[in-house]
Amino acid sequence: MVLARGTRYFASAVIVACMVLVGPSAPGGGALFARSLPAGAVKDVVPNRVMTWNMCNPCEESNADRAAEIATYAPQVVGMQEACVRDVERIRDYLEIFYGLEYHVEYGPVLQDWGRCGGTPWNPGGFGQALLSAAPMTDRVRAEYPDGGSEDRGYLAVTTLVDGRPVRVFNTHLAQRSQEEVRSDQARVLAATVAGYDRAIVLGDFNAVPQAPELAPLWELATDADPQCDPAAADACEPTTDWNLKFDYVFLRGVARAGHQVQPTAYSDHHMLRADLDLTS
């Protein structure tokens, strides 16, 4: 394990050194230098903090800048949607090399999408979901929904540590905005799986506002990280997108809320949604 970590670190250092020499590569390359973090940035991983972030649109953004956005808040767990595998790997490398933040990674259902993720037509880059966790992840499950809508969609589930306690973490991306009936079926499939755990965290882009009927199965068994947000008080829910709608959620089952924040970012049309949690009770 020590040898493997050393090998990966050396390889990452070589990649960063090459980027300093030749610059970023498309799509979603990196900046020549690490971006300085704001004065209030945390110094280490926050063990009770989770984040969800749909990173695409625009997709071809600097991975060094994306890494800096994550490093500013240093969550224990980060759920990513619309992420290219090669971008996630670069972000993970930058987090470690530039900011000293080490994350494990797991990938959910991933499409091969040359148009979004580059590569070659015969070997396109992977595109989909990913989970970063400061603690190791076990019991990984990748599942596709029976009907993905306009493109295959699914969820990734792992067991990892948040606030020092083991918890089941889900990351998902439901069907596109105009596909309510498809999302309804997807939400029922996801909720049935989440219901099997007394303690679970569900991260993701659900492409639906809080009062949307298709999210009812999840509201029946979980609460949002925002204590003011529920279907009956949808106007109190803070928007998570540039078009002033809440589509992104941290659903909690058997987990107490300790704070949350929606952070707009220049690197996606979805804001970063982070939540501080209490799993000690």
Side-chain angles (χ1 to χ4, degrees):
M1 181 177 292
V2 173
L3 178 61
R5 177 176 291 181
T7 301
R8 177 177 167 266
Y9 188 89
F10 175 77
S12 300
V14 170
I15 291 170
V16 173
C18 290
M19 294 193 70
V20 170
L21 291 174
V22 303
S25 59
L32 294 179
F33 303 101
R35 198 179 85 195
S36 298
L37 301 185
V42 299
K43 303 302 182 184
D44 203 354
V45 168
V46 181
N48 70 327
R49 179 170 294 169
V50 300
M51 175 188 288
T52 184
W53 189 17
N54 182 322
M55 299 198 309
C56 205
N57 291 326
C59 299
E60 296 182 6
E61 290 291 336
S62 162
N63 288 315
D65 286 332
R66 287 167 167 164
E69 295 282 276
I70 294 170
T72 299
Y73 307 104
Q76 175 79 4
V77 172
V78 184
M80 301 174 175
Q81 305 88 41
E82 295 201 57
C84 293
V85 170
R86 70 187 62 192
D87 289 337
V88 174
E89 289 299 330
R90 285 173 176 165
I91 290 167
R92 185 176 172 225
D93 288 338
Y94 295 157
L95 285 167
E96 181 175 355
I97 294 169
F98 292 144
Y99 306 109
L101 303 174
E102 296 185 28
Y103 287 97
H104 304 266
V105 64
E106 291 286 358
Y107 295 98
V110 172
L111 303 171
Q112 299 304 305
D113 196 322
W114 175 72
R116 289 183 173 180
C117 296
T120 60
W122 56 90
N123 186 27
F127 176 78
Q129 304 159 37
L131 274 170
L132 299 183
S133 174
M137 292 175 275
T138 61
D139 302 321
R140 181 197 66 202
V141 171
R142 297 177 181 145
E144 290 191 12
Y145 295 121
D147 183 357
S150 55
E151 67 180 31
D152 294 341
R153 296 284 170 91
Y155 66 83
L156 168 67
V158 302
T159 298
T160 190
L161 297 180
V162 176
D163 200 18
R165 303 294 196 276
V167 62
R168 196 66 171 166
V169 177
F170 294 81
N171 182 29
T172 193
H173 187 192
L174 298 192
Q176 292 181 359
R177 184 172 175 180
S178 62
Q179 300 171 339
E180 292 88 351
E181 291 186 6
V182 176
R183 282 200 306 278
S184 181
D185 291 338
Q186 293 173 347
R188 282 196 292 269
V189 170
L190 178 62
T193 304
V194 174
Y197 296 89
D198 294 331
R199 178 179 284 176
I201 300 168
V202 186
L203 310 171
D205 173 6
F206 288 77
N207 273 317
V209 293
Q211 67 272 33
E214 59 264 34
L215 294 189
L218 288 157
W219 286 115
E220 290 173 3
L221 55 86
T223 58
D224 189 64
D226 179 356
Q228 306 301 317
C229 182
D230 61 51
D235 290 344
C237 301
E238 192 169 358
T240 65
T241 64
D242 286 352
W243 49 93
N244 207 37
L245 297 172
K246 178 177 172 66
F247 278 1
D248 306 271
Y249 297 81
V250 176
F251 281 116
L252 305 174
R253 176 172 170 81
V255 176
R257 300 172 286 212
H260 85 287
Q261 185 169 0
V262 175
Q263 184 66 45
T265 170
Y267 305 104
S268 174
D269 57 1
H270 285 253
H271 308 334
M272 296 184 296
L273 171 59
R274 68 183 189 273
D276 293 342
L277 311 174
D278 182 1
L279 282 79
T280 59
S281 56

PDB file of all heavy atoms in Angstrom, residues 70-94:
ATOM      1  N   ILE A  70     -12.900  23.206  -4.114  1.00  0.00           N
ATOM      2  CA  ILE A  70     -13.139  22.133  -3.146  1.00  0.00           C
ATOM      3  C   ILE A  70     -12.227  22.296  -1.926  1.00  0.00           C
ATOM      4  O   ILE A  70     -12.665  22.147  -0.783  1.00  0.00           O
ATOM      5  CB  ILE A  70     -12.922  20.764  -3.812  1.00  0.00           C
ATOM      6  CG1 ILE A  70     -13.980  20.530  -4.888  1.00  0.00           C
ATOM      7  CG2 ILE A  70     -12.959  19.631  -2.776  1.00  0.00           C
ATOM      8  CD1 ILE A  70     -13.718  19.314  -5.765  1.00  0.00           C
ATOM      9  N   ALA A  71     -10.961  22.633  -2.169  1.00  0.00           N
ATOM     10  CA  ALA A  71     -10.005  22.756  -1.072  1.00  0.00           C
ATOM     11  C   ALA A  71     -10.372  23.870  -0.108  1.00  0.00           C
ATOM     12  O   ALA A  71     -10.031  23.806   1.082  1.00  0.00           O
ATOM     13  CB  ALA A  71      -8.609  22.995  -1.639  1.00  0.00           C
ATOM     14  N   THR A  72     -11.049  24.886  -0.584  1.00  0.00           N
ATOM     15  CA  THR A  72     -11.444  25.992   0.295  1.00  0.00           C
ATOM     16  C   THR A  72     -12.303  25.505   1.448  1.00  0.00           C
ATOM     17  O   THR A  72     -12.216  26.015   2.568  1.00  0.00           O
ATOM     18  CB  THR A  72     -12.209  27.052  -0.518  1.00  0.00           C
ATOM     19  OG1 THR A  72     -11.340  27.556  -1.542  1.00  0.00           O
ATOM     20  CG2 THR A  72     -12.676  28.202   0.367  1.00  0.00           C
ATOM     21  N   TYR A  73     -13.120  24.470   1.195  1.00  0.00           N
ATOM     22  CA  TYR A  73     -14.044  23.976   2.213  1.00  0.00           C
ATOM     23  C   TYR A  73     -13.687  22.568   2.692  1.00  0.00           C
ATOM     24  O   TYR A  73     -14.185  22.131   3.728  1.00  0.00           O
ATOM     25  CB  TYR A  73     -15.471  23.998   1.658  1.00  0.00           C
ATOM     26  CG  TYR A  73     -15.819  25.359   1.104  1.00  0.00           C
ATOM     27  CD1 TYR A  73     -15.841  25.596  -0.270  1.00  0.00           C
ATOM     28  CD2 TYR A  73     -16.061  26.433   1.952  1.00  0.00           C
ATOM     29  CE1 TYR A  73     -16.120  26.852  -0.784  1.00  0.00           C
ATOM     30  CE2 TYR A  73     -16.344  27.695   1.440  1.00  0.00           C
ATOM     31  CZ  TYR A  73     -16.364  27.897   0.075  1.00  0.00           C
ATOM     32  OH  TYR A  73     -16.623  29.144  -0.425  1.00  0.00           O
ATOM     33  N   ALA A  74     -12.854  21.861   1.959  1.00  0.00           N
ATOM     34  CA  ALA A  74     -12.262  20.572   2.345  1.00  0.00           C
ATOM     35  C   ALA A  74     -13.247  19.613   2.990  1.00  0.00           C
ATOM     36  O   ALA A  74     -13.074  19.202   4.130  1.00  0.00           O
ATOM     37  CB  ALA A  74     -11.074  20.821   3.280  1.00  0.00           C
ATOM     38  N   PRO A  75     -14.292  19.204   2.279  1.00  0.00           N
ATOM     39  CA  PRO A  75     -15.247  18.264   2.865  1.00  0.00           C
ATOM     40  C   PRO A  75     -14.634  16.877   3.048  1.00  0.00           C
ATOM     41  O   PRO A  75     -13.689  16.493   2.342  1.00  0.00           O
ATOM     42  CB  PRO A  75     -16.376  18.202   1.829  1.00  0.00           C
ATOM     43  CG  PRO A  75     -16.105  19.308   0.864  1.00  0.00           C
ATOM     44  CD  PRO A  75     -14.651  19.577   0.908  1.00  0.00           C
ATOM     45  N   GLN A  76     -15.177  16.129   3.970  1.00  0.00           N
ATOM     46  CA  GLN A  76     -14.802  14.734   4.139  1.00  0.00           C
ATOM     47  C   GLN A  76     -15.216  13.913   2.920  1.00  0.00           C
ATOM     48  O   GLN A  76     -14.496  13.019   2.480  1.00  0.00           O
ATOM     49  CB  GLN A  76     -15.466  14.166   5.394  1.00  0.00           C
ATOM     50  CG  GLN A  76     -15.264  12.691   5.646  1.00  0.00           C
ATOM     51  CD  GLN A  76     -13.916  12.354   6.244  1.00  0.00           C
ATOM     52  OE1 GLN A  76     -13.136  13.253   6.541  1.00  0.00           O
ATOM     53  NE2 GLN A  76     -13.642  11.078   6.434  1.00  0.00           N
ATOM     54  N   VAL A  77     -16.397  14.227   2.372  1.00  0.00           N
ATOM     55  CA  VAL A  77     -16.940  13.508   1.225  1.00  0.00           C
ATOM     56  C   VAL A  77     -17.420  14.524   0.196  1.00  0.00           C
ATOM     57  O   VAL A  77     -18.070  15.517   0.552  1.00  0.00           O
ATOM     58  CB  VAL A  77     -18.103  12.586   1.635  1.00  0.00           C
ATOM     59  CG1 VAL A  77     -18.782  11.985   0.404  1.00  0.00           C
ATOM     60  CG2 VAL A  77     -17.616  11.478   2.564  1.00  0.00           C
ATOM     61  N   VAL A  78     -17.105  14.274  -1.065  1.00  0.00           N
ATOM     62  CA  VAL A  78     -17.565  15.115  -2.169  1.00  0.00           C
ATOM     63  C   VAL A  78     -18.262  14.228  -3.192  1.00  0.00           C
ATOM     64  O   VAL A  78     -17.657  13.290  -3.724  1.00  0.00           O
ATOM     65  CB  VAL A  78     -16.398  15.863  -2.863  1.00  0.00           C
ATOM     66  CG1 VAL A  78     -16.938  16.798  -3.940  1.00  0.00           C
ATOM     67  CG2 VAL A  78     -15.563  16.627  -1.848  1.00  0.00           C
ATOM     68  N   GLY A  79     -19.532  14.522  -3.480  1.00  0.00           N
ATOM     69  CA  GLY A  79     -20.246  13.848  -4.550  1.00  0.00           C
ATOM     70  C   GLY A  79     -20.233  14.718  -5.791  1.00  0.00           C
ATOM     71  O   GLY A  79     -20.636  15.888  -5.735  1.00  0.00           O
ATOM     72  N   MET A  80     -19.745  14.172  -6.902  1.00  0.00           N
ATOM     73  CA  MET A  80     -19.665  14.913  -8.157  1.00  0.00           C
ATOM     74  C   MET A  80     -20.614  14.298  -9.170  1.00  0.00           C
ATOM     75  O   MET A  80     -20.763  13.078  -9.236  1.00  0.00           O
ATOM     76  CB  MET A  80     -18.245  14.863  -8.721  1.00  0.00           C
ATOM     77  CG  MET A  80     -17.180  15.436  -7.819  1.00  0.00           C
ATOM     78  SD  MET A  80     -15.532  15.155  -8.540  1.00  0.00           S
ATOM     79  CE  MET A  80     -14.509  16.045  -7.359  1.00  0.00           C
ATOM     80  N   GLN A  81     -21.238  15.156  -9.955  1.00  0.00           N
ATOM     81  CA  GLN A  81     -22.060  14.706 -11.075  1.00  0.00           C
ATOM     82  C   GLN A  81     -21.557  15.399 -12.350  1.00  0.00           C
ATOM     83  O   GLN A  81     -20.945  16.456 -12.282  1.00  0.00           O
ATOM     84  CB  GLN A  81     -23.540  15.019 -10.866  1.00  0.00           C
ATOM     85  CG  GLN A  81     -24.126  14.466  -9.569  1.00  0.00           C
ATOM     86  CD  GLN A  81     -23.951  15.414  -8.411  1.00  0.00           C
ATOM     87  OE1 GLN A  81     -24.116  16.634  -8.554  1.00  0.00           O
ATOM     88  NE2 GLN A  81     -23.614  14.884  -7.238  1.00  0.00           N
ATOM     89  N   GLU A  82     -21.864  14.799 -13.497  1.00  0.00           N
ATOM     90  CA  GLU A  82     -21.401  15.296 -14.792  1.00  0.00           C
ATOM     91  C   GLU A  82     -19.897  15.557 -14.758  1.00  0.00           C
ATOM     92  O   GLU A  82     -19.416  16.628 -15.134  1.00  0.00           O
ATOM     93  CB  GLU A  82     -22.168  16.554 -15.214  1.00  0.00           C
ATOM     94  CG  GLU A  82     -23.644  16.298 -15.463  1.00  0.00           C
ATOM     95  CD  GLU A  82     -24.287  17.350 -16.347  1.00  0.00           C
ATOM     96  OE1 GLU A  82     -23.806  17.557 -17.476  1.00  0.00           O
ATOM     97  OE2 GLU A  82     -25.267  17.956 -15.895  1.00  0.00           O
ATOM     98  N   ALA A  83     -19.164  14.551 -14.332  1.00  0.00           N
ATOM     99  CA  ALA A  83     -17.720  14.663 -14.166  1.00  0.00           C
ATOM    100  C   ALA A  83     -17.018  13.692 -15.105  1.00  0.00           C
ATOM    101  O   ALA A  83     -17.393  12.529 -15.195  1.00  0.00           O
ATOM    102  CB  ALA A  83     -17.335  14.371 -12.717  1.00  0.00           C
ATOM    103  N   CYS A  84     -15.997  14.189 -15.798  1.00  0.00           N
ATOM    104  CA  CYS A  84     -15.156  13.323 -16.611  1.00  0.00           C
ATOM    105  C   CYS A  84     -14.133  12.636 -15.717  1.00  0.00           C
ATOM    106  O   CYS A  84     -13.554  13.272 -14.829  1.00  0.00           O
ATOM    107  CB  CYS A  84     -14.439  14.123 -17.690  1.00  0.00           C
ATOM    108  SG  CYS A  84     -15.539  14.811 -18.958  1.00  0.00           S
ATOM    109  N   VAL A  85     -13.914  11.357 -15.959  1.00  0.00           N
ATOM    110  CA  VAL A  85     -12.986  10.594 -15.113  1.00  0.00           C
ATOM    111  C   VAL A  85     -11.611  11.254 -15.092  1.00  0.00           C
ATOM    112  O   VAL A  85     -10.999  11.419 -14.031  1.00  0.00           O
ATOM    113  CB  VAL A  85     -12.884   9.137 -15.610  1.00  0.00           C
ATOM    114  CG1 VAL A  85     -11.754   8.403 -14.900  1.00  0.00           C
ATOM    115  CG2 VAL A  85     -14.205   8.408 -15.378  1.00  0.00           C
ATOM    116  N   ARG A  86     -11.118  11.676 -16.238  1.00  0.00           N
ATOM    117  CA  ARG A  86      -9.776  12.270 -16.266  1.00  0.00           C
ATOM    118  C   ARG A  86      -9.748  13.597 -15.499  1.00  0.00           C
ATOM    119  O   ARG A  86      -8.725  13.945 -14.896  1.00  0.00           O
ATOM    120  CB  ARG A  86      -9.295  12.438 -17.699  1.00  0.00           C
ATOM    121  CG  ARG A  86     -10.010  13.489 -18.512  1.00  0.00           C
ATOM    122  CD  ARG A  86      -9.562  13.455 -19.955  1.00  0.00           C
ATOM    123  NE  ARG A  86      -9.891  12.169 -20.564  1.00  0.00           N
ATOM    124  CZ  ARG A  86      -9.419  11.771 -21.742  1.00  0.00           C
ATOM    125  NH1 ARG A  86      -8.581  12.531 -22.418  1.00  0.00           N
ATOM    126  NH2 ARG A  86      -9.775  10.612 -22.244  1.00  0.00           N
ATOM    127  N   ASP A  87     -10.868  14.329 -15.514  1.00  0.00           N
ATOM    128  CA  ASP A  87     -10.925  15.556 -14.729  1.00  0.00           C
ATOM    129  C   ASP A  87     -10.900  15.251 -13.240  1.00  0.00           C
ATOM    130  O   ASP A  87     -10.224  15.931 -12.454  1.00  0.00           O
ATOM    131  CB  ASP A  87     -12.179  16.353 -15.081  1.00  0.00           C
ATOM    132  CG  ASP A  87     -12.119  16.978 -16.464  1.00  0.00           C
ATOM    133  OD1 ASP A  87     -10.991  17.169 -16.972  1.00  0.00           O
ATOM    134  OD2 ASP A  87     -13.179  17.268 -17.030  1.00  0.00           O
ATOM    135  N   VAL A  88     -11.663  14.241 -12.823  1.00  0.00           N
ATOM    136  CA  VAL A  88     -11.675  13.857 -11.404  1.00  0.00           C
ATOM    137  C   VAL A  88     -10.273  13.456 -10.955  1.00  0.00           C
ATOM    138  O   VAL A  88      -9.824  13.826  -9.862  1.00  0.00           O
ATOM    139  CB  VAL A  88     -12.678  12.719 -11.154  1.00  0.00           C
ATOM    140  CG1 VAL A  88     -12.589  12.226  -9.716  1.00  0.00           C
ATOM    141  CG2 VAL A  88     -14.097  13.177 -11.474  1.00  0.00           C
ATOM    142  N   GLU A  89      -9.565  12.707 -11.789  1.00  0.00           N
ATOM    143  CA  GLU A  89      -8.219  12.287 -11.416  1.00  0.00           C
ATOM    144  C   GLU A  89      -7.298  13.491 -11.259  1.00  0.00           C
ATOM    145  O   GLU A  89      -6.489  13.551 -10.323  1.00  0.00           O
ATOM    146  CB  GLU A  89      -7.659  11.326 -12.467  1.00  0.00           C
ATOM    147  CG  GLU A  89      -8.339   9.961 -12.460  1.00  0.00           C
ATOM    148  CD  GLU A  89      -8.175   9.232 -11.136  1.00  0.00           C
ATOM    149  OE1 GLU A  89      -7.153   9.435 -10.450  1.00  0.00           O
ATOM    150  OE2 GLU A  89      -9.082   8.462 -10.773  1.00  0.00           O
ATOM    151  N   ARG A  90      -7.414  14.451 -12.162  1.00  0.00           N
ATOM    152  CA  ARG A  90      -6.569  15.648 -12.044  1.00  0.00           C
ATOM    153  C   ARG A  90      -6.933  16.456 -10.804  1.00  0.00           C
ATOM    154  O   ARG A  90      -6.056  16.941 -10.086  1.00  0.00           O
ATOM    155  CB  ARG A  90      -6.705  16.503 -13.306  1.00  0.00           C
ATOM    156  CG  ARG A  90      -5.973  15.926 -14.513  1.00  0.00           C
ATOM    157  CD  ARG A  90      -6.282  16.711 -15.753  1.00  0.00           C
ATOM    158  NE  ARG A  90      -5.512  16.228 -16.897  1.00  0.00           N
ATOM    159  CZ  ARG A  90      -5.776  16.536 -18.162  1.00  0.00           C
ATOM    160  NH1 ARG A  90      -6.801  17.327 -18.434  1.00  0.00           N
ATOM    161  NH2 ARG A  90      -5.034  16.069 -19.149  1.00  0.00           N
ATOM    162  N   ILE A  91      -8.226  16.624 -10.566  1.00  0.00           N
ATOM    163  CA  ILE A  91      -8.657  17.353  -9.375  1.00  0.00           C
ATOM    164  C   ILE A  91      -8.117  16.677  -8.123  1.00  0.00           C
ATOM    165  O   ILE A  91      -7.605  17.332  -7.199  1.00  0.00           O
ATOM    166  CB  ILE A  91     -10.190  17.434  -9.332  1.00  0.00           C
ATOM    167  CG1 ILE A  91     -10.701  18.375 -10.425  1.00  0.00           C
ATOM    168  CG2 ILE A  91     -10.685  17.904  -7.961  1.00  0.00           C
ATOM    169  CD1 ILE A  91     -12.193  18.300 -10.668  1.00  0.00           C
ATOM    170  N   ARG A  92      -8.223  15.362  -8.081  1.00  0.00           N
ATOM    171  CA  ARG A  92      -7.716  14.608  -6.930  1.00  0.00           C
ATOM    172  C   ARG A  92      -6.210  14.808  -6.760  1.00  0.00           C
ATOM    173  O   ARG A  92      -5.713  14.987  -5.638  1.00  0.00           O
ATOM    174  CB  ARG A  92      -8.057  13.138  -7.137  1.00  0.00           C
ATOM    175  CG  ARG A  92      -7.721  12.222  -5.987  1.00  0.00           C
ATOM    176  CD  ARG A  92      -8.211  10.828  -6.309  1.00  0.00           C
ATOM    177  NE  ARG A  92      -7.763   9.848  -5.352  1.00  0.00           N
ATOM    178  CZ  ARG A  92      -7.266   8.665  -5.664  1.00  0.00           C
ATOM    179  NH1 ARG A  92      -7.160   8.310  -6.942  1.00  0.00           N
ATOM    180  NH2 ARG A  92      -6.881   7.818  -4.736  1.00  0.00           N
ATOM    181  N   ASP A  93      -5.472  14.790  -7.866  1.00  0.00           N
ATOM    182  CA  ASP A  93      -4.029  15.016  -7.788  1.00  0.00           C
ATOM    183  C   ASP A  93      -3.723  16.420  -7.281  1.00  0.00           C
ATOM    184  O   ASP A  93      -2.855  16.610  -6.413  1.00  0.00           O
ATOM    185  CB  ASP A  93      -3.391  14.823  -9.166  1.00  0.00           C
ATOM    186  CG  ASP A  93      -3.348  13.363  -9.590  1.00  0.00           C
ATOM    187  OD1 ASP A  93      -3.401  12.483  -8.705  1.00  0.00           O
ATOM    188  OD2 ASP A  93      -3.266  13.097 -10.805  1.00  0.00           O
ATOM    189  N   TYR A  94      -4.431  17.417  -7.799  1.00  0.00           N
ATOM    190  CA  TYR A  94      -4.178  18.795  -7.376  1.00  0.00           C
ATOM    191  C   TYR A  94      -4.500  18.987  -5.894  1.00  0.00           C
ATOM    192  O   TYR A  94      -3.794  19.700  -5.178  1.00  0.00           O
ATOM    193  CB  TYR A  94      -5.004  19.775  -8.204  1.00  0.00           C
ATOM    194  CG  TYR A  94      -4.650  19.814  -9.671  1.00  0.00           C
ATOM    195  CD1 TYR A  94      -5.569  20.269 -10.607  1.00  0.00           C
ATOM    196  CD2 TYR A  94      -3.406  19.401 -10.124  1.00  0.00           C
ATOM    197  CE1 TYR A  94      -5.254  20.307 -11.956  1.00  0.00           C
ATOM    198  CE2 TYR A  94      -3.086  19.441 -11.470  1.00  0.00           C
ATOM    199  CZ  TYR A  94      -4.017  19.884 -12.383  1.00  0.00           C
ATOM    200  OH  TYR A  94      -3.708  19.917 -13.711  1.00  0.00           O
TER     201      TYR A  94
END
